[in-house]
Amino acid sequence: MKKRQFLGAAALAGAALPTVTQGAPARTRGPALLTVTGAIAKANRGPFDAALDQMMHKQKISFEKAYAFDFDALLKLPARSIKPTLEYDGKAHVLRGPSLLDVLAAAGASLNEGGLLVLRAVDGFAVSLSPAQARAQGFIVATHLDGATMALGGLGPLWAVYDADRVPAMAARPLAERFGSCPWALYHVDVVAGKN
């Protein structure tokens, strides 16, 4: 290919790339790992697409707007570490990731009194928490377990979890009953608005 043709083709290709409007949230660079929908003020992806959002379609999720986080976007948020004893092996492990409420704030979530957070895992398991419960129990979106990223097929790549050992009401329960509100392989949070 001649240099002039190459440069012309490159310029046309560059002109065809989508641009981000000033002030609009940037789209994810990597694959979306967590999608937040519902009562949110920000969006960086389009509405639900029944043909392309197959897992969401099968789990009867639908939305007009959403905020998607890739791994890098989650890593840019302030991270916390917790060290709960896990029910799977009875050992304490270090889990690290951003606060669930910080993730939701980055999506412009409305966390009003009476609202709910519906946390959904890839297998369809879903739990509902109030924002007050997420705050009081210190939920994080764990991205790392004992210093390593978590794999899909294990507890990851994301896990909504809290330090049950440090929440007296939960620490008093048998180990197997402490993490029922902690979906691993988290991929979706629906923010349900409450009273203003």
Side-chain angles (χ1 to χ4, degrees):
M1 179 181 258
K2 293 182 181 174
K3 185 176 180 181
R4 183 175 296 208
Q5 289 172 324
F6 172 77
L7 292 174
L12 286 174
L17 291 174
T19 58
V20 175
T21 306
Q22 181 119 11
R27 297 201 180 274
T28 60
R29 288 183 167 192
L33 293 183
L34 180 63
T35 303
V36 179
T37 61
I40 59 173
K42 299 178 184 176
N44 65 354
R45 68 150 282 175
F48 167 76
D49 182 326
L52 301 179
D53 294 320
Q54 278 295 303
M55 185 165 36
M56 291 179 181
H57 176 67
K58 290 184 186 318
Q59 295 178 2
K60 301 189 182 346
I61 297 170
S62 184
F63 50 86
E64 290 302 315
K65 66 179 180 178
Y67 197 96
F69 292 87
D70 63 10
F71 197 68
D72 286 343
L74 292 169
L75 291 182
K76 287 179 182 170
L77 296 172
R80 293 183 42 231
S81 292
I82 60 175
K83 193 173 181 179
T85 303
L86 300 185
E87 64 179 300
Y88 308 109
D89 62 4
K91 297 177 182 175
H93 292 273
V94 175
L95 290 151
R96 181 169 169 73
S99 155
L100 173 61
L101 296 181
D102 285 350
V103 171
L104 298 176
S110 258
L111 302 175
N112 299 325
E113 181 185 337
L116 281 177
L117 308 174
V118 182
L119 312 178
R120 187 170 278 105
V122 296
D123 64 357
F125 177 75
V127 297
S128 296
L129 305 172
S130 69
Q133 181 182 355
R135 184 176 298 106
Q137 293 183 341
F139 267 79
I140 67 169
V141 176
T143 57
H144 290 76
L145 172 71
D146 295 331
T149 55
M150 295 183 292
L152 183 60
L155 297 171
L158 305 176
W159 187 12
V161 65
Y162 68 103
D163 194 341
D165 296 353
R166 308 300 178 278
V167 177
M170 299 310 289
R173 293 185 179 188
L175 192 55
E177 296 177 14
R178 296 181 189 175
F179 297 97
S181 60
C182 300
W184 39 262
L186 175 74
Y187 88 102
H188 178 250
V189 178
D190 185 29
V191 180
V192 181
K195 296 183 264 178
N196 285 328

